[in-house]
Amino acid sequence: MTVTYSNEVTTSRGIGIFLKLLARWKGSIYKIVWVDLLLYLFIYYTLNLLYLYVLDETHGRPHFISIVTYFSKYGNAIPLSFVLGFYVNVVYTRWWGQYTSIPYPDNIAILVGASIHGKDEKSKIIRRTIIRYVCVAFTLTLTMISPKVKKRFPTFHHFVQAGLLNHEEKKFIEQLDKEFPTYASKYWLPLAWAANVTTRARAEGIIKDELGLKDILQEINDFREKCKKLWDYDWICVPLVYTQVVTLAVYLYFLFTVIGTQFVEEQAEGDLFLFRFPLMSCVEFFFYMGWLKVAESLINPFGEDDDDFEVVWMIDRHLQVGYLLVDKIHNEHPKLNKDYHWNEVAPNQLPFTVASQKYMNEHPVESTFKITVQKGDQDLIFKDDLGRLDEPNLVLNYGDLKNYSLEEGPTRVVN
């Protein structure tokens, strides 16, 4: 479920408006990084204990120090910031594209309700059937790409039990799957049914004009196109080689770091060794690994992570809104009356509450709002008169030029 915090950052007054968000756990960077960070510290202190208590002074420790020195010197050779930053940008663009590709049936429902009139049973069946088929196509698409939806509707039997399909439609799909098994998931089939029902309604005169038919079919095709985009995003991933490069770069970088930052200097106070906590290495690990985990979370927003899309809720939402638009409020609207501002051409300003009165005088201000032109500079001059300045033995003052005075009208001075 998407973790939202917009209500907490509506106003940026005070110190560190985002600091209040740092205490959150769900969807936080701490939740996705802490296991990796513990593993990093475990490896660090394992090597440290190995150096302190296992390796001998003659051969073991000198070799260990040589290895630590090497990785400390060359560990930063990996351009991690560039590689990881570009990858996260690619993943974020893909993530937003997936969100904008989620189809909504609202436009189809509004057009169906406006084009298919009648309170009779047949008209009502046609309207509701078209919307149901559209919602079935949406749900079928999600079962291909979302584990949450697949768990909710694992078989067509569950579609029937939920009321999205009837037994005849289920048999039709299953028979088609047997005849053409190569294309197992036929998310487009219900949309084809919806288009056929719409065309039949036009042929029977239930849809009165061709424009209504064209608009509905266009919206159905647009809906199909978005379903296809969702399927394409699931099919065509970010190239595996790129993901492997980024993952190897991050993990190898911190493998080198966990060796190169080992504490190998002895601080002699008796025979005790003081362990050093790798603070800066942990901070670096926290941010770089967090960056990678963000990419891992965003690359498929239809999964079961904290910040994934609420696709399960969307299924119910789409069906409910679709039925409301084509059935409950079909050809219904409040009684037409004169509006509150009937005696005015348009209201100057709507009323404010006491809590919002400080916004009463807020309005956009143009960038040239404070620029004023002096009255003497407002007269118009023309290019042909400016050209006369090049004539020999001619002296013109600014006031002699042909001008258009805003107060006196056009005048022309002839020498």
Side-chain angles (χ1 to χ4, degrees), residues 361-380:
N361 295 321
E362 289 186 358
H363 57 83
V365 178
E366 301 84 0
S367 59
T368 59
F369 177 73
K370 294 184 178 181
I371 296 179
T372 58
V373 181
Q374 299 297 325
K375 185 175 181 180
D377 294 334
Q378 294 181 13
D379 295 338
L380 303 179

Side-chain angles (χ1 to χ4, degrees), residues 43-75:
I43 296 174
Y44 178 85
Y45 283 114
T46 299
L47 293 175
N48 204 275
L49 291 172
L50 179 68
Y51 166 74
L52 292 175
Y53 297 109
V54 177
L55 299 179
D56 56 46
E57 297 281 355
T58 306
H59 300 290
R61 287 193 177 185
H63 288 303
F64 184 85
I65 293 174
S66 299
I67 294 173
V68 169
T69 303
Y70 177 83
F71 282 110
S72 177
K73 184 176 181 180
Y74 297 106

Side-chain angles (χ1 to χ4, degrees), residues 260-289:
T261 57
Q262 282 296 310
F263 178 54
V264 294
E265 296 295 332
E266 299 180 6
Q267 297 182 358
E269 284 191 10
D271 294 325
L272 297 177
F273 294 103
L274 301 178
F275 288 89
R276 183 185 66 171
F277 180 75
L279 177 61
M280 296 310 298
S281 296
C282 287
V283 171
E284 189 177 44
F285 182 91
F286 188 82
F287 289 112
Y288 279 140
M289 186 59 69

Side-chain angles (χ1 to χ4, degrees), residues 94-104 137-146 149 187 222-237 299-302 309 311 314 318:
R94 172 187 172 89
W95 171 80
W96 186 249
Q98 287 175 292
Y99 172 73
T100 56
S101 297
I102 297 176
Y104 280 70
F138 177 68
T139 308
L140 279 175
T141 304
L142 292 180
T143 58
M144 297 187 297
I145 65 177
S146 173
V149 178
Y187 67 92
D222 291 343
F223 194 93
R224 184 208 58 80
E225 180 64 26
K226 287 197 169 185
C227 288
K228 175 183 175 295
K229 282 186 177 181
L230 293 181
W231 186 73
D232 287 345
Y233 275 117
D234 184 71
W235 170 35
I236 306 297
C237 300
I299 201 166
N300 183 7
F302 299 101
F309 302 148
V311 289
M314 286 182 183
H318 284 5

Side-chain angles (χ1 to χ4, degrees), residues 173-182 186:
I173 296 177
E174 291 175 339
Q175 182 62 35
L176 201 61
D177 284 341
K178 290 180 181 179
E179 295 179 11
F180 303 94
T182 306
K186 299 174 176 58

Side-chain angles (χ1 to χ4, degrees), residues 15-304:
I15 299 175
I17 186 65
F18 285 159
L19 290 178
K20 67 178 72 174
L21 304 176
L22 297 182
R24 286 195 171 196
W25 176 255
K26 185 177 181 180
S28 68
I29 189 66
Y30 322 115
K31 186 175 180 180
I32 60 176
V33 169
W34 74 271
V35 174
D36 298 87
L37 183 58
L38 287 180
L39 178 61
Y40 178 81
L41 291 174
F42 173 77
I43 296 174
Y44 178 85
Y45 283 114
T46 299
L47 293 175
N48 204 275
L49 291 172
L50 179 68
Y51 166 74
L52 292 175
Y53 297 109
V54 177
L55 299 179
D56 56 46
E57 297 281 355
T58 306
H59 300 290
R61 287 193 177 185
H63 288 303
F64 184 85
I65 293 174
S66 299
I67 294 173
V68 169
T69 303
Y70 177 83
F71 282 110
S72 177
K73 184 176 181 180
Y74 297 106
N76 292 323
I78 300 176
L80 190 59
S81 297
F82 172 77
V83 173
L84 191 54
F86 186 75
Y87 182 74
V88 172
N89 180 64
V90 170
V91 172
Y92 173 79
T93 303
R94 172 187 172 89
W95 171 80
W96 186 249
Q98 287 175 292
Y99 172 73
T100 56
S101 297
I102 297 176
Y104 280 70
D106 303 34
N107 287 352
I108 299 176
I110 290 174
L111 286 173
V112 167
S115 302
I116 302 178
H117 306 283
K119 294 289 186 178
D120 58 288
E121 185 177 89
K122 184 174 183 179
S123 298
K124 182 177 179 179
I125 290 175
I126 290 175
R127 291 193 299 268
R128 289 177 65 92
T129 300
I130 292 173
I131 292 303
R132 180 168 61 85
Y133 285 159
V134 168
C135 292
V136 170
F138 177 68
T139 308
L140 279 175
T141 304
L142 292 180
T143 58
M144 297 187 297
I145 65 177
S146 173
K148 294 187 291 187
V149 178
K150 185 64 176 180
K151 291 176 182 178
R152 187 181 182 185
F153 299 99
T155 65
F156 287 117
H157 173 73
H158 295 83
F159 277 77
V160 175
Q161 294 296 106
L164 290 173
L165 291 173
N166 58 40
H167 291 284
E168 181 183 353
E169 294 161 348
K170 171 179 172 290
K171 290 179 181 179
F172 190 99
I173 296 177
E174 291 175 339
Q175 182 62 35
L176 201 61
D177 284 341
K178 290 180 181 179
E179 295 179 11
F180 303 94
T182 306
Y183 305 101
S185 185
K186 299 174 176 58
Y187 67 92
W188 41 264
L189 181 59
L191 294 176
W193 291 345
N196 293 340
V197 171
T198 304
T199 305
R200 178 178 177 180
R202 172 64 183 122
E204 295 178 357
I206 298 175
I207 296 178
K208 303 301 181 183
D209 53 69
E210 291 292 332
L211 183 60
L213 173 65
K214 179 182 177 182
D215 290 343
I216 295 174
L217 292 180
Q218 181 62 50
E219 288 296 332
I220 291 175
N221 281 328
D222 291 343
F223 194 93
R224 184 208 58 80
E225 180 64 26
K226 287 197 169 185
C227 288
K228 175 183 175 295
K229 282 186 177 181
L230 293 181
W231 186 73
D232 287 345
Y233 275 117
D234 184 71
W235 170 35
I236 306 297
C237 300
V238 176
L240 178 61
V241 62
Y242 193 10
T243 303
Q244 288 176 335
V245 166
V246 174
T247 304
L248 284 174
V250 173
Y251 281 94
L252 286 177
Y253 177 85
F254 286 110
L255 177 61
F256 299 158
T257 302
V258 78
I259 299 174
T261 57
Q262 282 296 310
F263 178 54
V264 294
E265 296 295 332
E266 299 180 6
Q267 297 182 358
E269 284 191 10
D271 294 325
L272 297 177
F273 294 103
L274 301 178
F275 288 89
R276 183 185 66 171
F277 180 75
L279 177 61
M280 296 310 298
S281 296
C282 287
V283 171
E284 189 177 44
F285 182 91
F286 188 82
F287 289 112
Y288 279 140
M289 186 59 69
W291 218 354
L292 180 64
K293 293 294 183 179
V294 166
E296 291 176 356
S297 177
L298 294 183
I299 201 166
N300 183 7
F302 299 101
E304 299 176 298

